[in-house]
């Protein structure tokens, strides 16, 4: 009998579910709005409802192997307890496994969403051919997500809290971050941070090309990137600053882990030509390990930094895939 899994991606805005099998890949995703303010119990009902729908669609001739839910952190594993999650306000202390597992007749897997996305990228995206022994992914979106895959398995840390490179300090005098620290990578490399800094430029009467573009349109990271591509010097410098922040954080990652591959994902990764030159320059300048490790003539497995290949479905895909990798 053919087997499939159900992957779910719980975000602060949307809750998505899809079936997955190694043969057929990811099925069409079902999406509902996440009723964050209704509280976790209501959303757990929505999760069970979606599982029921996907299961009905698959029919009785295929066996459901398990369900995996990817959720934003900080998420304690394996119990799935939230610890002051910034994107799920009021959910502190709620443990998902206690509610969900008794109502499922198949194994339930819980994972941090950035880790699930990294797992998918490792197996099906940028890591597909090289199968890098130590793989790190940074996802530049609303925040900066981070996932680690070591020797083919997600590295969760002792409590499930590993992989928070988005909160490495890159500017001790920087802006306040949602985590309570100042100058985190997230305050300079998330799409949100691009918009915040661009607003400041506009208030100061700078970024003339951006000012023209933004008329009658909402300010977005994509628009700032367009202004930079069209030669706006202030917008270009904004992305160069993002690159330097990324390079600084990556230097810390490389110095500690000596990884084989670092992939950059998320909507912001589309601006790769704008931030990657300063990112790589900063990384080389600050990490002698990287300067050594990137030399392909010296090492069979040199360290590579590149763009991720999978898009917004990476988390969902990783959740579906994880069920087939666990024993
Ligand atoms: Zn932070």
């Amino acid at each position: 009998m053919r087997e499939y899994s159900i992957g779910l991606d719980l975000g602060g805005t949307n809750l998505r579910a899809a079936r997955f099998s190694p043969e057929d890949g990811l099925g069409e995703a079902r999406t509902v709005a996440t009723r964050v303010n209704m509280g976790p119990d209501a959303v757990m009902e929505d999760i069970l409802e979606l599982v029921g729908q996907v299961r009905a669609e698959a029919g009785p001739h295929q066996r459901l192997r398990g369900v995996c839910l990817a959720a934003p952190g900080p998420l304690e594993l394996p119990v799935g307890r939230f610890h002051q999650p910034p994107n799920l306000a009021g959910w502190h202390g709620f443990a998902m496994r206690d509610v969900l597992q008794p109502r499922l007749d198949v194994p339930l897997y819980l994972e941090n969403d950035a880790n699930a996305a990294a797992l998918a990228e490792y197996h099906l995206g940028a890591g597909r051919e090289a199968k890098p022994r130590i793989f790190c992914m940074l996802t530049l979106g609303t925040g900066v997500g981070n996932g680690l895959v070591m020797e083919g398995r997600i590295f969760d840390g002792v409590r499930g809290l590993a992989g928070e490179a988005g909160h490495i300090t890159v500017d001790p005098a920087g802006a306040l971050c949602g985590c309570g620290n100042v100058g985190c990578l997230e305050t300079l490399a998330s799409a949100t941070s691009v918009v915040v800094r661009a607003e400041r430029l506009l208030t100061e009467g700078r970024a003339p090309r951006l000012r023209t573009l933004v008329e009658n349109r909402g300010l977005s990271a994509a628009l700032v990137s367009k202004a930079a591509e069209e030669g706006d010097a202030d917008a270009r410098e904004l992305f160069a600053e993002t690159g330097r922040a990324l390079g600084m954080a990556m230097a810390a990652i490389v110095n500690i882990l000596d990884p084989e591959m670092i992939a950059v994902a998320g909507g912001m990764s589309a601006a790769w030509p704008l931030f990657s030159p300063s990112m790589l320059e900063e990384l080389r300048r600050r990490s002698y390990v990287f300067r050594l490790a990137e030399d392909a003539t010296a090492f069979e497995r040199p360290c590579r930094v590149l763009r991720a290949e999978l898009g917004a479905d990476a988390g969902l895909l990783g959740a579906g895939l994880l069920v087939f990798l666990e024993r």
Side-chain angles (χ1 to χ4, degrees):
M1 194 184 248
R2 290 271 292 268
E3 286 192 319
Y4 71 101
S5 65
I6 297 177
L8 294 113
D9 190 3
L10 170 63
T13 310
N14 289 318
L15 169 64
R16 305 174 71 219
R19 53 182 306 223
F20 172 85
S21 72
E23 299 82 16
D24 302 326
L26 198 64
E28 201 177 327
R30 290 170 179 267
T31 305
V32 298
T34 309
R35 301 188 290 160
V36 177
N37 298 331
M38 298 292 283
D41 285 313
V43 176
M44 294 306 116
E45 291 304 320
D46 292 345
I47 286 168
L48 292 164
E49 170 67 26
L50 280 176
V51 168
Q53 286 176 15
V54 176
R55 212 167 175 172
E57 191 182 82
H61 303 297
Q62 298 189 58
R63 194 179 85 89
L64 177 60
R65 184 182 168 109
V67 171
C68 177
L69 175 65
L75 184 67
E76 179 185 342
L77 296 172
V79 63
R81 181 180 286 112
F82 292 102
H83 289 266
Q84 282 143 5
N87 297 323
L88 299 169
W91 288 36
H92 175 69
F94 183 77
M96 294 190 289
R97 181 175 300 283
D98 295 350
V99 177
L100 293 175
Q101 183 64 83
R103 296 187 51 194
L104 291 168
D105 56 359
V106 293
L108 170 70
Y109 302 93
L110 299 170
E111 190 46 80
N112 175 288
D113 52 6
N115 287 341
L119 185 72
E121 195 67 41
Y122 168 85
H123 281 285
L124 307 168
R128 176 176 79 245
E129 278 158 24
K131 288 282 188 287
R133 289 185 52 199
I134 297 184
F135 175 75
C136 174
M137 189 158 90
L138 294 172
T139 303
L140 315 183
T142 312
V144 174
N146 174 216
L148 291 169
V149 178
M150 296 194 183
E151 312 289 358
R153 299 185 68 87
I154 291 173
F155 181 80
D156 278 320
V158 173
R159 287 156 285 265
L161 306 178
E164 289 292 347
H167 301 281
I168 290 179
T169 302
V170 292
D171 179 4
L176 183 66
C177 179
C179 75
N181 183 29
V182 294
C184 290
L185 175 63
E186 188 162 296
T187 67
L188 287 166
S190 64
T192 316
S193 82
V194 169
V195 171
V196 168
R197 287 178 294 147
E199 268 168 358
R200 198 179 314 137
L201 287 175
L202 293 172
T203 310
E204 290 167 358
R206 293 161 68 190
R209 181 67 199 142
L210 178 61
R211 196 174 325 124
T212 312
L213 286 174
V214 87
E215 272 172 31
N216 309 318
R217 264 184 285 194
L219 184 56
S220 65
L223 204 62
V224 184
S225 145
K226 186 169 159 61
E229 279 160 14
E230 292 178 6
D232 189 312
D234 293 322
R236 292 188 75 83
E237 171 50 28
L238 190 156
F239 281 102
E241 183 185 40
T242 290
R244 289 192 296 273
L246 280 165
M248 216 179 287
M250 282 179 185
I253 293 167
V254 172
N255 286 352
I256 296 168
L257 296 177
D258 180 24
E260 187 171 343
M261 186 180 285
I262 301 179
V264 180
M268 273 276 291
S269 66
W272 178 266
L274 295 168
F275 66 74
S276 64
S278 62
M279 175 184 82
L280 292 169
E281 190 187 321
E282 195 75 15
L283 173 55
R284 288 189 185 108
R285 195 162 76 81
R286 292 191 183 267
S287 172
Y288 78 116
V289 177
F290 182 74
R291 292 198 300 275
L292 294 169
E294 73 168 332
D295 184 355
T297 64
F299 299 104
E300 195 183 325
R301 290 174 169 266
C303 180
R304 291 192 292 151
V305 182
L306 39 70
R307 272 184 78 172
E309 294 176 11
L310 306 176
D313 283 340
L316 201 53
L317 197 51
L321 184 62
L322 191 144
V323 174
F324 282 90
L325 298 175
E326 293 294 327
R327 281 277 64 154

